[in-house]
Amino acid sequence: MSVTRPPVDESLRDAYLRRLGFATPPPATVATLYAVHRAHLERIPYESVWVWLGERRTINPLDSVRYLASGRGGYCYTQNGALATVLGWLGFTVRWHAGGVQGHGERPSIDGNHLALTVTNLPTDENPAGEWLIDAGLGDGLHEPLPLRTGTYTQGPHTYGVRPSEIDPSGWRFDADPGMSLQGMDFLPGDATPADLQKQHEHLQSSPKSSFRKTLVVARRDASGVDILRGCVLKRVDSTGETSTELPNAPEWWSCLADVFNLPLSDVDDERKKALWNNVTVAHEAWLARTA
């Protein structure tokens, strides 16, 4: 059973599109798919700041659009849930799939810890089957859609692979660039619903064992590379290499969130911001002690 797209909410749709820089809803074309995907990655950060603020979220598609339209970001269920919903409202055929992201050294599996998306019925001369892999929820991953066919693709400093999954040959495998924070992602061919992903969502947002609870992360992709904030360390990866900068004080850290990641947290009051900064610095000092 596929996810049911909610009825068009023009106010939410337009608020999301304005954040991406669109004054009016664009037509459902390949050019629009690329433009919306690029704008989402460039303007809406992949982030777990909300987890560190002690917030709880649903993976209801309408809620996901609301989170992003309000000026926030999120991880895969929010990012891709919103992207799929708005693209569907624009007339694209978008499917949800249960996916599994693996870190370096982890055994590939498909356990629903990732919401994967495909767009169908959109052929081009280069991609006559008309099937596309889209993903705004891989952190330092894609900037543009990929044809859903076996091949190697380069975007900015990263080279990706797409091939049939070894876990389920009817599904697909995304091989990450070795320099990325993940090893890869497999996803099942069938349609998924929020209920299929709910167990992993609860674990990722709530469990002390979740990587999102252990480390605050923010990422923003652009055409030439990616900016990544982990705790108090800002990293830039592009074709020239990698640079890291430590952010030692609150003003620099808040400016980084607002200026680099388009995440000013204008809806968070001073008391919650102070608590967030204190938690981030405690975690950063613990990390420094472990790596000394």
Side-chain angles (χ1 to χ4, degrees):
M1 178 180 178
S2 62
V3 66
T4 299
R5 187 175 72 240
V8 178
D9 184 318
E10 294 185 359
S11 177
L12 270 183
R13 179 199 64 193
D14 294 349
Y16 169 94
L17 290 173
R18 282 195 300 271
R19 193 173 183 200
L20 269 55
F22 293 88
T24 58
T29 64
V30 173
T32 292
L33 181 66
Y34 271 75
V36 168
H37 199 282
R38 286 192 295 257
H40 185 121
L41 272 294
E42 293 170 7
R43 298 186 179 218
I44 299 180
Y46 176 93
E47 53 101 350
S48 66
V49 176
W50 62 276
V51 174
W52 282 62
L53 283 167
E55 297 175 357
R56 299 269 296 178
R57 290 187 174 182
T58 79
I59 51 176
N60 175 281
L62 277 178
D63 286 340
S64 294
V65 181
R66 289 190 187 99
Y67 298 137
L68 302 193
S70 70
R72 294 291 201 92
Y75 59 26
C76 69
Y77 304 119
T78 303
Q79 297 276 12
N80 284 342
L83 179 62
T85 300
V86 175
L87 286 175
W89 286 344
L90 293 177
F92 292 92
T93 303
V94 189
R95 299 177 64 196
W96 285 35
H97 306 272
V101 168
Q102 312 94 39
H104 294 284
E106 294 179 351
R107 183 176 181 178
S109 65
I110 304 177
D111 59 4
N113 73 0
H114 187 73
L115 165 58
L117 301 178
T118 58
V119 171
T120 60
N121 304 319
L122 198 65
T124 66
D125 291 342
E126 295 76 20
N127 185 17
E131 297 181 333
W132 304 84
L133 172 64
I134 62 173
D135 206 312
L138 289 174
D140 55 352
L142 299 182
H143 181 238
E144 297 181 330
L146 293 179
L148 191 60
R149 61 180 184 181
T150 301
T152 302
Y153 306 91
T154 298
Q155 295 180 5
H158 295 149
T159 297
Y160 315 118
V162 176
R163 57 185 172 89
S165 171
E166 295 178 4
I167 301 172
D168 185 331
S170 298
W172 288 90
R173 166 76 176 178
F174 167 81
D175 288 312
D177 185 277
M180 288 173 57
S181 60
L182 63 145
Q183 176 177 290
M185 185 271 292
D186 293 79
F187 64 92
L188 298 174
D191 294 302
T193 69
D196 298 322
L197 309 170
Q198 184 64 35
K199 181 179 179 180
Q200 281 293 336
H201 170 57
E202 288 299 328
H203 167 78
L204 292 172
Q205 74 171 339
S206 304
S207 172
K209 296 181 180 180
S210 166
S211 62
F212 295 105
R213 290 283 304 275
K214 293 178 179 179
T215 305
L216 180 144
V217 62
V218 190
R220 186 196 63 84
R221 188 71 160 84
D222 57 42
S224 60
V226 61
D227 297 297
I228 306 171
L229 177 67
R230 289 191 176 91
C232 294
V233 178
L234 173 65
K235 182 170 70 173
R236 171 69 184 179
V237 180
D238 57 28
S239 59
T240 66
E242 178 181 313
T243 58
S244 292
T245 305
E246 186 174 351
L247 305 175
N249 58 63
E252 288 186 52
W253 195 80
W254 293 115
S255 294
C256 174
L257 281 187
D259 299 338
V260 178
F261 296 103
N262 193 27
L263 191 65
L265 298 180
S266 55
D267 60 327
V268 179
D269 61 39
D270 290 342
E271 184 176 346
R272 294 178 69 208
K273 283 185 175 180
K274 182 179 179 180
L276 172 61
W277 172 247
N278 287 341
N279 290 336
V280 171
T281 54
V282 167
H284 181 64
E285 289 167 2
W287 173 76
L288 289 174
R290 291 194 303 270
T291 57

